Structure formats: C-alpha cells, structure tokens
Amino acid sequence: MKLRHLLLAVGVTAIAGYAFAGNRPSGFTTICNENQTCSVSANTNVAFGRADHFIFKVLSGSFVCSQATFGGRTAGGVNECSVPAGSVPPQDPGDPPPTPDQGFFPGCPMPTATATVQLTQTQVVGAGQVFDGGNRRYNLSGGSQDEGQPPVFEVMDGGSVRNVIIGPLAADGIHCLGNCTLDHVWWEDIGEDAATALGPAGTVMTVNCGAAYNGSDKTFQFNGRGELHISNFFVGNAGKLVRSCGDCTGNGGPRRIFVNNVITRDVPTIVGINTNFGDVATIRNLTLNNSGTSKTKICQVYKGVVKGNGSTSALGVEFNTPNCQVSQSDVTLLPPSQMNTSACAGSCPIP
C-alpha cells in the first residue's frame, strides 16, 4: 500500500483535482478551476489559489484561471478562481450548474464547451468513421438510471468519438458495437451508463483521456465480450468504475478489463467481474482520492447469471489471483482514502 501526503508527494501535485475547504477565501464562491475559462462582471475582485493561500486580481469579462493570468500559483494541488459571494456572473441557459469540485486526470481536464448541441435522436458513428465533436456539449434526453434509454452516440465497428462533452441529458451515454475508441470524452453526468461495450469476442473498446461525474451506479458497462481498456481517466461520485454484466440475456464470457492511470473520487467499487464466466481484470496505477474513510473495493468478484436464471451474487474482493490481477501496491491512497483488503482471502469460492 502506498500512502502519500498531498503536500509532500510531487507526483500527487498534478493528481489532486478536487476542491477542499480552504481553496477559496471566506465569503467567496468558486467559479472555475485552474486552466479553465471564467467570466466575471466588470471590475470583479478574483482570488486564485488553494489551501488558504491566494493571489487577488481585479478582472473584467472572460479570462483563463491560470498562473499566467495571476502571476503565480499555490503548489500542492489544483488552484481555484473564486469571487465574493453575490457577484457570481449569470450562466448561459444551455450550461449545466457549476461544479467547482470536479476532478480530472492530469493532462485531461474537461474543456469549456464550445457550443451545446441538442440532439433529437441518437448520433450514429459509422464503421471506421472518426467523429470529432470539437469540444461541443451533446445532450439527448433523460439521464436517469431508467433502463432502456437510447444512447447519445452509437459507434459502429472501428468507429471513434473524440473531443466530445456529454451533457446532463446523457440518456445511456455511448454504445460501442465493436472495436471503438473514445478519446478525450467527458461526461458531465453519467446518466444510465457513461458507455457500454457491446462488441463480440475479439473486439476492444478503448477509453483514453477524459472524466465522468455523478452516477449512482456503473460508469462503464461491459455487456459484450472481448476487452475494455480504460486509461488516463477520472471518475467522481459514481457506484462503480466498470462492471461486467451480472444478468444479461445470453450472458457469459470471458471478458478482459484493463485499468491503468485512473483516479477515482468516492467510487465504492472500482471493477466488478464475473469469475464464473472467466472474466479477468488487470489494474495498475490506480489512485483513490476519496472524501471519507469508507473502504473502496478494488476488484470485486461476482457470480454472473443468464437473465431469467436467478440473480447475480457478490462473492468478495480478490488481490493477486488469476481473475483479479492487481496488488495492493498498485493502489495509491490519498488521505483519508482506504481500500477493502479483507473481504476475501485469496480466490473467492464460486457456489
């Protein structure tokens, strides 16, 4: 287990993407995070900093919340730009409510949306096509946990989606029907699921550089076969990072999940797999940046079922087994984060 203090570990400096008490002066309200674009009314006193250390500057209109604007920064984490309460500028009606406590993976912060696109039906990305959203925000409908919602994007075999922000009307996110790549994609709201891998055996869904926020259940759903790769990614406030389907029609396996260079915040379970179907999860360079001491389950194993044949059941947590290829040393705990290490000793039995 690695325990690193936020103020002492150089490697953590770029990782700490969440706002904590003391990241804004008393009586101030955060309007955006470091390297994001903010907008204020004329002659507004803006504070830039963190951990009770601030640089103040009077600004007007739009500006970048950055060291270049303020002439300095406070080391040890992500700085914030804040203004006196009551002077927060009005938001564009198409924008979601501000979320100053969002985190991000270093090098992959969510950009400011260049426009908001309201779709009337699922956007289909054809086989082999590359859909570049130009950092536009895309909405469709819903965004709850109701089953059966349509996807915002449906990606055919060999297709790619990049530079896209999924807005609060996230429906069922993105469906990948074969090999697909989701590169520089951010979910302001996870909706039913952020993305679902539906491809057959031999296909790979790759997720690289992005973030997803606010989901009560799964972030990534794995219903197909083949492989799911997630890297350089941040997830905040969700039930799970990824889950193999527990009770799909025609459920089975094996499925392989690879997680590398991922930061999570208040996600109780990182990966859930069905060992009876031969699923394998490989986890490296995982960082937990939780707000409390609830113990996170890193690799949770289940007994999966075919729909109509009972319910899936949780069996326990595994480390260093054929199905859960992860060691406790692969996980960095930022205080006060903790992980579950005692739910199951060795390989969990399958009833």
Side-chain angles (χ1 to χ4, degrees):
M1 182 189 305
K2 304 177 192 173
L3 294 174
R4 302 181 183 179
H5 192 282
L6 282 169
L7 298 178
L8 296 180
V10 174
V12 173
T13 299
I15 289 175
Y18 257 92
F20 296 93
N23 283 7
R24 63 200 70 84
S26 176
F28 276 54
T29 300
T30 296
I31 56 172
C32 68
N33 284 340
E34 190 169 5
N35 296 322
Q36 294 179 339
T37 299
C38 309
S39 182
V40 295
S41 303
N43 301 317
T44 300
N45 189 24
V46 182
F48 175 68
R50 62 173 301 278
D52 293 324
H53 291 82
F54 306 101
I55 301 170
F56 292 87
K57 191 170 184 177
V58 176
L59 297 169
S60 302
S62 296
F63 63 93
V64 177
C65 179
S66 67
Q67 179 175 351
T69 300
F70 289 87
R73 70 183 300 276
T74 302
V78 175
N79 286 233
E80 297 179 21
C81 283
S82 57
V83 298
S87 63
V88 178
Q91 273 201 270
D92 186 309
D95 290 343
T99 51
D101 286 353
Q102 288 182 153
F104 59 88
F105 192 87
C108 298
M110 183 168 66
T112 300
T114 57
T116 296
V117 179
Q118 178 59 58
L119 298 172
T120 58
Q121 60 185 5
T122 296
Q123 177 75 49
V124 177
V125 179
Q129 284 189 339
V130 176
F131 182 93
D132 192 323
N135 292 331
R136 296 177 184 87
R137 174 186 297 112
Y138 289 83
N139 283 317
L140 180 59
S141 60
S144 68
Q145 286 295 305
D146 292 343
E147 296 289 338
Q149 297 183 68
V152 181
F153 288 88
E154 186 173 71
V155 186
M156 301 301 172
D157 185 42
S160 299
V161 174
R162 66 188 185 193
N163 301 321
V164 160
I165 300 169
I166 304 292
L169 299 179
D172 198 26
I174 299 177
H175 286 185
C176 284
L177 304 187
N179 291 296
C180 79
T181 300
L182 310 181
D183 183 51
H184 288 74
V185 178
W186 297 266
W187 287 260
E188 292 177 325
D189 190 290
I190 289 171
E192 184 180 347
D193 299 306
T196 304
L198 295 164
T203 59
V204 179
M205 181 172 109
T206 300
V207 181
N208 176 60
C209 189
Y213 311 97
N214 303 322
S216 59
D217 196 6
K218 305 168 295 294
T219 305
F220 296 106
Q221 175 78 27
F222 198 170
N223 289 359
R225 303 294 188 270
E227 298 180 1
L228 170 57
H229 295 241
I230 304 168
S231 60
N232 306 316
F233 204 83
F234 180 96
V235 176
N237 188 29
K240 298 177 180 69
L241 171 65
V242 58
R243 171 73 167 101
S244 291
C245 185
D247 59 355
C248 293
T249 299
N251 202 11
R255 301 172 174 116
R256 290 189 63 89
I257 297 168
F258 298 86
V259 174
N260 185 36
N261 290 333
V262 168
I263 304 170
T264 66
R265 171 80 165 182
D266 297 336
V267 178
T269 300
I270 303 304
V271 172
I273 58 174
N274 304 315
T275 49
N276 60 315
F277 292 148
D279 294 351
V280 177
T282 302
I283 302 173
R284 300 288 185 268
N285 303 311
L286 171 68
T287 298
L288 307 184
N289 186 12
N290 294 335
S291 63
T293 57
S294 296
K295 294 184 178 181
T296 300
K297 298 173 182 177
I298 305 302
C299 187
Q300 170 75 56
V301 299
Y302 294 84
K303 178 184 178 182
V305 298
V306 176
K307 195 172 185 66
N309 292 342
S311 300
T312 184
S313 53
L315 304 176
V317 171
E318 292 185 4
F319 287 94
N320 297 310
T321 65
N323 298 100
C324 288
Q325 297 183 9
V326 56
S327 300
Q328 294 179 32
S329 60
D330 291 312
V331 184
T332 296
L333 302 177
L334 302 185
S337 304
Q338 297 186 40
M339 62 177 161
N340 187 319
T341 61
S342 60
C344 181
S347 183
C348 296
I350 300 174

